[in-house]
Amino acid sequence: MAHTLSCKPAWTEAFEVDTSLNDESGPCPTYVSPADQPICSFAASGKCPRGDRCPHIHGDLCSICGKHCLHPFRPDEREEHIKMCHKNNKHLEALKCSQEIECSVCLERVLSKPTAAERKFGLLSECDHPFCISCIRNWRSNSPASGMDVNSALRACPICRKLSYFVIPSVIWYSSKEEKQEIVDSYKIRLKYVIITPSAAFTQ
């Protein structure tokens, strides 16, 4: 009698794992559902040599990162991966758009500065003028002239003179108020995991 080979991938149905015990009870089969099977690392990287005979899950293609890493039977995991990919993609787009932004003091492209420490923006909380982190810190660290108010002398924007009590370091520039708020909120969250003094919560 001729046997018909199944064209279904090996991971589409629950399968039985024979885990033999060393006592008199004999073998104890365990059924593993597709949701409990791992993603095949070869398939996720590009191509699995076993094809449909592979016992591991072959993930669906993520249209954002281009990898076959979406587990077909884990919806929560898929959703989390897609959210992370969207976030990473958004960050890369923002980084690309930030390449041309110049500091309003030194007039140099912030992300073209010679050292990594200098390739950061110093965002002012109350205005939208761009500065590199070193220029705005130098501006705010200078001693005010005798008789000058420290707020108007140091905490005001060098361009529009709006008072900003905080400077937020960032590797990207924003294109909307919502993006700016995301940068500020993200910075505040990072500060929670750093041992700092109360006065150092933001760069003054």
Side-chain angles (χ1 to χ4, degrees):
M1 180 181 295
H3 294 280
T4 302
L5 295 177
S6 174
C7 61
K8 292 183 178 181
W11 62 82
T12 56
E13 298 178 356
F15 65 91
E16 180 179 307
V17 178
D18 187 5
T19 55
S20 298
L21 301 179
N22 293 326
D23 54 24
E24 297 179 355
S25 61
C28 179
T30 301
Y31 293 91
V32 181
S33 69
D36 294 327
Q37 299 177 48
I39 285 281
C40 173
S41 58
F42 290 103
S45 300
K47 185 177 181 180
C48 175
R50 296 184 180 182
D52 288 347
R53 294 175 299 170
C54 179
H56 302 298
I57 293 289
H58 282 192
D60 295 330
L61 178 67
C62 173
S63 60
I64 303 172
C65 67
K67 296 181 179 180
H68 290 268
C69 54
L70 299 178
H71 202 295
F73 305 100
R74 298 178 185 174
D76 292 342
E77 185 178 291
R78 290 169 65 95
E79 183 179 355
E80 184 64 27
H81 175 85
I82 292 173
K83 285 182 179 179
M84 184 59 65
C85 273
H86 275 300
K87 182 178 180 180
N88 292 340
N89 193 52
K90 184 178 180 180
H91 180 82
L92 290 175
E93 287 296 324
L95 192 61
K96 182 179 179 180
C97 294
S98 302
Q99 297 294 326
E100 304 298 321
I101 304 298
E102 296 180 350
C103 172
S104 298
V105 174
C106 66
L107 303 181
E108 295 181 9
R109 293 180 181 177
V110 176
L111 298 185
S112 297
K113 293 278 187 172
T115 65
E118 293 177 292
R119 291 193 289 270
K120 290 182 181 179
F121 296 94
L123 279 59
L124 295 182
S125 58
E126 303 303 323
C127 83
D128 298 315
H129 289 105
F131 303 98
C132 61
I133 192 68
S134 55
C135 279
I136 196 62
R137 280 178 173 171
N138 289 338
W139 171 269
R140 295 166 76 92
S141 63
N142 290 329
S143 299
S146 178
M148 292 186 65
D149 178 68
V150 66
N151 284 332
S152 59
L154 302 181
R155 290 174 177 161
C157 169
I159 307 301
C160 67
R161 310 307 297 170
K162 286 185 178 180
L163 293 181
S164 291
Y165 289 92
F166 306 123
V167 176
I168 301 92
S170 174
V171 295
I172 60 173
W173 189 250
Y174 54 89
S175 58
S176 67
K177 291 182 178 180
E178 291 75 18
E179 288 184 4
K180 181 178 182 179
Q181 191 59 50
E182 286 181 9
I183 295 172
V184 174
D185 292 342
S186 177
Y187 182 61
K188 288 180 178 179
I189 292 174
R190 291 199 305 271
L191 287 179
K192 293 181 180 179
Y193 299 97
V194 180
I195 300 176
I196 53 176
T197 60
S199 61
F202 287 89
T203 305
Q204 297 295 319

